[in-house]
DNA sequence: CATCAGATTATGTCTAGACATAATAATCTG
DNA sequence: CAGATTATTATGTCTAGACATAATCTGATG
């Protein structure tokens, strides 16, 4: 072994490993050579091989366990990374003009939030046509300064980014039938299939905000997997 | 300064950096100290700091540019990783019995695939109730051995995992109104909001398969962000 | 035979130093 | 002063060696 075509950089090694997997040289389930062996074959330091394999493990292509070694994942668990953009950003990236209108703002409570909550409903426009309806609840005990904001000029979406930070969140996507209210705001028929994104964010243990985004019919979210 | 509680491991450093960001010690947009400075402060090697910062940059929390330094991202672009499980696996993880039935299998062509294609329609059940309708097109020029498979016992979903590998893919999620046919198979009303996942996979330049999964009403996909 | 303690081993991570690279800042030149 | 060239600098990556950690394997023991 040697004469190895001098792979330069851990990304090159990652590519070569991927090639062998796709070429079925290392079929799913098989244990691949150890890091030291690969390092010698590729003519590089073990740390370099480690970097490459670790990245592939994170991507779900490999499964690694101490002592047991590294195996090609049986079920290449496709992990698709969906980037959740700012609404304004998403609209402007489509080449449309961003518009915003506050629909309602009132205090109350919410099942998922402790203490008083601020309820804000607003509509985001792309070139004067409704794009997404934002129904949000903000915890006033965690973010009291929200009380002083009218949300008339700036959306809660952006205001929170500037005034609060979160440590974790939870998102679900689903398809819902448009209620009469949602349909009216989005300019759709009642009962139309609506792509809905529910998000909940926490700062440590404290729940900050719960939001439901109802997108205009035809909306789709796109993502790429394995994109080299 | 100093007395720094000996941060051990790059993950600890990552945590500390995250803490400073959340605590607004390093507000969004601000350039944080260079790697050498941090390494000295934390009492570790620069490579360790590098590992931590690189991971955070990959997560979208930091923006790094050579010479310019490292800045806290202005828009914490939430990157949610959605794991796309095998259908069987997803059903069994819900504690339901998996069932499968082939509905149709015929040769033809497909707009996104070059050459002849095999069209397979099948239904996946959870405890005898329909769960998802799979409408798939397989390129016969890329995967000719698909011709010899009846897909009567095994779903195309699983068969492809065992018999083909992909290098890249493209997924879109959307909400669609159930067509009469879809509604009938899923036991839903025509026009009901259906969560739809369209997937396209390639092996290099060759398009392998295009599939549309129409989920039973009420289905939702869930993901977590920032989960430590 | 079943169980537990110790030897083995592959991965996980750190270190200290080095060179590469890209982008900014400074300087020189017409 | 504008434009081109060079110096500087922060990140990107590699190396060689070391120790840590967790599993597995081995063998001894009851």
């Amino acid at each position: 072994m040697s004469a190895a075509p001098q792979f330069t950089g851990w990304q090159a090694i990652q590519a070569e490993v991927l090639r062998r997997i796709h070429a079925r040289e290392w079929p799913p389930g098989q244990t691949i050579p150890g890091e030291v062996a690969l390092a010698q074959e590729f003519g590089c330091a073990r740390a370099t091989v480690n970097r490459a394999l670790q990245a592939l493990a994170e991507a779900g292509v490999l499964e690694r366990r101490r002592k047991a070694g590294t195996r090609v994942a049986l079920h290449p668990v496709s992990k698709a990374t969906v980037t959740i953009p700012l609404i304004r950003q998403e609209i402007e990236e489509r080449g449309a003009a961003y518009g915003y209108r506050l629909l309602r703002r009132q205090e109350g409570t919410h099942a998922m939030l402790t203490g008083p909550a601020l309820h804000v409903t607003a509509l985001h426009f792309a070139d004067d046509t409704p794009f997404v309806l934002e129904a949000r609840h903000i915890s006033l005990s965690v973010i009291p300064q929200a009380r002083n904001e009218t949300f008339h000029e700036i959306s809660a979406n952006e205001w929170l980014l500037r005034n609060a930070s979160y440590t974790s969140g939870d998102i679900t996507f689903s398809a819902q039938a448009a209620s009469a209210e949602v349909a009216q705001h989005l300019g759709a028929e009642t009962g139309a299939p609506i792509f809905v994104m529910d998000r909940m964010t926490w700062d440590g243990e404290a729940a900050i905000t719960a939001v439901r985004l109802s997108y205009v019919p035809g909306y789709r979210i796109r993502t790429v997997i394995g994109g080299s």
Side-chain angles (χ1 to χ4, degrees), chain A:
Chain A
M1 301 280 104
S2 75
Q6 276 303 21
F7 293 101
T8 123
W10 65 269
Q11 311 223 20
I13 291 180
Q14 175 176 335
E16 170 63 9
V17 171
L18 266 180
R19 189 193 66 72
R20 294 188 185 181
I21 293 174
H22 288 141
R24 291 282 201 274
E25 289 178 32
W26 292 341
Q30 184 162 111
T31 302
I32 75 174
E35 294 185 348
V36 283
L38 289 176
Q40 191 181 346
E41 182 190 347
F42 292 137
C44 67
R46 185 172 78 91
T48 308
V49 174
N50 183 287
R51 190 93 176 76
L53 297 188
Q54 223 167 50
L56 287 174
E58 209 167 307
V61 177
L62 295 177
E63 286 173 7
R64 319 194 73 195
R65 263 171 42 225
R66 279 172 155 131
K67 166 74 180 177
T70 302
R71 298 188 320 148
V72 180
L74 271 175
H75 303 303
V77 188
S78 316
K79 284 186 187 169
T81 17
V82 180
T83 52
I84 315 286
L86 264 180
I87 295 173
R88 152 178 264 134
Q89 204 171 303
E90 183 172 16
I91 289 174
E92 288 173 348
E93 272 172 13
R94 295 174 175 228
Y98 174 76
Y100 168 77
R101 197 172 86 229
L102 178 66
L103 297 178
R104 196 167 61 214
R105 179 193 184 285
Q106 65 186 35
E107 288 195 29
T109 58
H110 186 260
M112 300 290 291
L113 304 174
T114 57
L118 188 65
H119 181 192
V120 176
T121 308
L123 205 47
H124 301 261
F125 297 85
D127 277 343
D128 298 322
T129 64
F131 183 74
V132 57
L133 178 70
E134 173 183 4
R136 184 182 291 270
H137 302 263
I138 304 170
S139 165
L140 284 171
S141 50
V142 180
I143 315 282
Q145 59 274 41
R147 229 182 220 120
N148 306 321
E149 175 60 47
T150 64
F151 295 110
H152 217 81
E153 299 298 324
I154 184 176
S155 75
N157 194 285
E158 292 181 41
W159 186 86
L160 278 169
L161 261 185
R162 285 217 268 278
N163 294 276
S165 61
Y166 61 90
T167 56
S168 65
D170 182 300
I171 302 182
T172 70
F173 302 104
S174 61
Q176 307 278 342
S179 68
E181 189 194 351
V182 168
Q184 186 215 319
H185 288 312
L186 291 179
E189 306 263 317
T190 300
I194 299 290
F195 187 88
V196 169
M197 172 168 138
D198 287 294
R199 205 184 332 177
M200 182 92 212
T201 55
W202 288 270
D203 186 15
E205 292 298 305
I208 299 177
T209 180
V211 62
R212 162 166 286 201
L213 298 176
S214 303
Y215 287 87
V216 74
Y219 178 81
R220 44 180 54 228
I221 202 167
R222 186 175 167 283
T223 180
V224 168
I225 55 178
S228 67

